[in-house]
Amino acid sequence: MSQVLDAYQGIAELLQERHRQGLASDALIQTLGPATALDGIAPQSVDAVVMDPPYYDNVQYSELSDFYYVWQKRTLSDLYPGWFDDEVTDKQNEAVANPARDGSAKGAKARYEELMQGIFAESRRVLKPEGIMTLMFTHKSADAWETLTNALIEAGWDISACMPVESEGGYSTHQMNMASAASTIFIACRPADRSNRSPSGWAYEVRSKLESAVRECLAEFEVLKLNPVDRMIASWGRALRVYSEHWPVQDGDEEVPPTRAMQEAARVVAEEEVSRLSGGLVTVDDLDAESRLAVIALGINGLGEFAFDDALQMSRSLNFHLQQRNGNYRVSDDLVAYASAGDSERAAPLAIRGNKLRLFKPEERAAQRLEHPQTLWDLLCGLIVLYRDGGIVAARNYLSTHGKRDNAALRGLLKVWANECDEDDLRREALLIDYEL
Ligand SMILES: C[S@@+](CC[C@H](N)C(=O)[O-])C[C@H]1O[C@@H](n2cnc3c(N)ncnc32)[C@H](O)[C@@H]1O
């Protein structure tokens, strides 16, 4: 209630000056209805559109509203005739991705895009040519961002700026939903003038501009101390700005979809992350898929648990599959495996419990996998276990057996482990191994 009063007071104060000037009666038009039809607002008449749209499938507002609607209908319909004529609230025009309404996840994505495109087109109609539109968007999934970008571009908008802002309180419904990022991304858009624009080339033009924009924004975000997942999402915003400015983008004969821009941004973020964590000793190209994810997970959470959704999100951005593999398996560059913590042969680097993942500690990994390591991460775990059993001589022999005696990337990994694993004993041990090596 105090929030409602606060918001009401804020709006009233905004209008006070106009009221004093006698302008109040025509200064404010308030309408209720789907934003796909802003009836009563003349074309090119407003200076700014400020929008906080639904974040894809995050909150089903109308389904939640029904809970209150049916009670309000019984208590308020005499006072407000016409407000409660419908049986329940309108679901069809709600701009959300709702598989229950649209039959499937694919149908829900298409309907969200269609409704958002209608809203953006209507916003463009009422905005003055030099006007601006801002929206907030807080979602971790690449699908949600792709859909939003398609809708914006198709409705004739360019993204002109993108900035993460810490805005939602820890207890909001959005925040409790795992799909939500901790920061809200503010996106500013301008009506696109594409009259003299010809298609841009992905390989020679857009990709390199996008890479520089993402590196620049990562440097800029440093002061904001974003968590790595938010850093990734904020970087998508920047990548999509470059993409929308150059749209349509071609790679040979193929049209490049916005997902390519996001994947490229994710690659740059992972590259920066790996190099930052290892103090420049390891690059993303030195690492196989499992070691790459292990390094990033270590950087985000140490040895603690993290949401399965976060890992899934990363797998989509970094182009690998996340799969349960109990027992031994052959690693490949498009697979990162996890095993149940109770599995007797824990060859995978990640343990699953409920909807949380964590890194297995070296001593928890299957001895057979460490004897026959397939990834740099296996080798790091084997090195630590061997050192505990037989000191530096055993550790050196282990590395020599696997031809990695002087491997710089492995030493980099050992440094990341020493810096990021959150148990003092393990850190001291890693520093000692590094020193003795
Ligand atoms: C993220 S919330 C905005 C919350 C608001 N900023 C606040 O602080 O209360 C998105 C809102 O968009 C509304 N909405 C959904 N579909 C819509 C449509 N087609 N036209 C207009 N509003 C819609 C939802 O009912 C919800 O209230």
Side-chain angles (χ1 to χ4, degrees):
M1 183 56 82
S2 67
Q3 284 187 0
V4 172
L5 285 177
D6 188 45
Y8 179 75
Q9 195 172 354
I11 293 169
E13 274 166 17
L14 279 177
L15 292 173
Q16 221 167 27
E17 189 49 35
R18 300 191 75 97
H19 184 71
R20 237 180 261 127
Q21 294 167 7
L23 296 170
S25 58
D26 64 350
L28 181 72
I29 308 167
Q30 192 178 353
T31 63
L32 179 65
T36 35
L38 299 173
D39 296 336
I41 302 184
Q44 305 196 349
S45 64
V46 309
D47 298 293
V49 175
V50 180
M51 194 193 302
D52 180 13
Y55 309 143
Y56 200 62
D57 58 357
N58 235 20
V59 180
Q60 304 296 338
Y61 295 96
S62 62
E63 289 178 1
L64 285 172
S65 297
D66 282 343
F67 180 82
Y68 303 96
Y69 183 86
V70 293
W71 290 103
Q72 288 177 334
K73 189 173 177 166
R74 285 167 180 247
T75 51
L76 298 173
S77 55
D78 286 348
L79 291 172
Y80 299 96
W83 279 32
F84 297 96
D85 288 350
D86 295 326
E87 193 184 355
V88 285
T89 56
D90 177 15
K91 307 284 176 301
Q92 282 317 311
N93 292 306
E94 189 185 19
V96 288
N98 184 350
R101 176 189 65 187
D102 303 314
S104 63
K106 203 171 159 209
K109 185 176 178 191
R111 180 72 178 143
Y112 179 75
E113 185 169 327
E114 179 188 332
L115 284 160
M116 287 309 295
Q117 191 177 323
I119 293 172
F120 292 144
E122 187 64 348
S123 304
R124 196 177 192 280
R125 179 186 72 81
V126 300
L127 192 75
K128 292 178 183 169
E130 68 282 10
I132 189 167
M133 174 168 79
T134 70
L135 19 135
M136 309 172 197
F137 201 66
T138 301
H139 205 290
K140 281 190 209 167
S141 100
D143 264 358
W145 277 86
E146 184 194 10
T147 316
L148 188 87
T149 311
N150 278 334
L152 275 172
I153 289 175
E154 294 292 338
W157 292 91
D158 276 347
I159 297 174
S160 58
C162 228
M163 199 66 200
V165 177
E166 201 182 328
S167 67
E168 303 262 349
Y171 292 106
S172 96
T173 336
H174 310 302
Q175 281 298 85
M176 290 190 304
N177 185 315
M178 306 280 273
S180 192
S183 321
T184 293
I185 312 292
F186 273 73
I187 306 168
C189 305
R190 300 273 182 185
D193 177 7
R194 301 198 183 119
S195 47
N196 293 322
R197 209 187 274 179
S198 47
S200 318
W202 169 256
Y204 298 108
E205 190 185 358
V206 182
R207 195 171 162 202
S208 58
K209 281 190 186 162
L210 193 148
E211 186 171 338
S212 326
V214 172
R215 286 196 201 285
E216 247 169 56
C217 83
L218 289 176
E220 210 179 292
F221 296 158
E222 222 148 87
V223 289
L224 299 176
K225 304 252 174 293
L226 300 178
N227 72 45
V229 175
D230 281 12
R231 237 191 331 261
M232 174 89 75
I233 294 163
S235 79
W236 286 347
R238 290 300 171 96
L240 292 172
R241 185 183 80 191
V242 176
Y243 174 85
S244 83
E245 275 167 8
H246 290 83
W247 190 84
V249 182
Q250 298 275 134
D251 189 4
D253 290 341
E254 264 176 46
E255 197 163 300
V256 175
T259 32
R260 280 272 286 283
M262 289 188 279
Q263 276 161 7
E264 181 62 14
R267 189 192 61 76
V268 176
V269 175
E271 205 172 289
E272 293 270 323
E273 203 67 11
V274 168
S275 137
R276 181 183 70 82
L277 288 166
S278 68
L281 285 171
V282 185
T283 70
V284 98
D285 296 334
D286 296 329
L287 299 179
D288 49 274
E290 290 199 345
S291 306
R292 206 176 283 169
L293 185 73
V295 167
I296 294 174
L298 201 60
I300 298 176
N301 305 283
L303 293 172
E305 291 187 324
F306 53 102
F308 185 84
D309 271 9
D310 283 354
L312 197 63
Q313 169 53 41
M314 252 176 250
S315 72
R316 289 196 189 117
S317 331
L318 299 175
N319 268 336
F320 60 80
H321 301 288
L322 204 55
Q323 272 176 12
Q324 178 139 12
R325 290 289 168 91
N326 291 339
N328 211 350
Y329 63 95
R330 181 109 219 109
V331 299
S332 69
D333 221 29
D334 61 355
L335 169 78
V336 171
Y338 57 87
S340 48
D343 183 28
S344 54
E345 247 199 288
R346 292 173 295 239
L350 293 166
I352 187 154
R353 194 169 60 104
N355 60 359
K356 301 271 185 191
L357 291 172
R358 69 172 172 86
L359 285 166
F360 276 123
K361 287 183 181 174
E363 65 274 19
E364 291 180 285
R365 309 269 321 269
Q368 202 212 0
R369 170 55 67 93
L370 302 188
E371 276 161 29
H372 304 283
Q374 293 188 35
T375 66
L376 265 187
W377 190 255
D378 292 345
L379 210 64
L380 175 78
C381 294
L383 174 71
I384 294 171
V385 168
L386 262 285
Y387 179 81
R388 284 178 196 162
D389 285 350
I392 197 65
V393 175
R396 279 209 192 103
N397 285 342
Y398 176 72
L399 294 187
S400 301
T401 309
H402 298 292
K404 302 283 181 190
R405 182 75 189 264
D406 299 311
N407 189 287
L410 182 70
R411 293 296 285 274
L413 232 53
L414 186 60
K415 284 205 163 50
V416 177
W417 176 264
N419 286 333
E420 305 296 330
C421 73
D422 31 19
E423 292 179 24
D424 284 344
D425 289 353
L426 296 179
R427 303 170 87 121
R428 264 197 298 275
E429 177 187 63
L431 289 172
L432 209 59
I433 300 175
D434 193 37
Y435 176 75
E436 291 188 37
L437 278 178

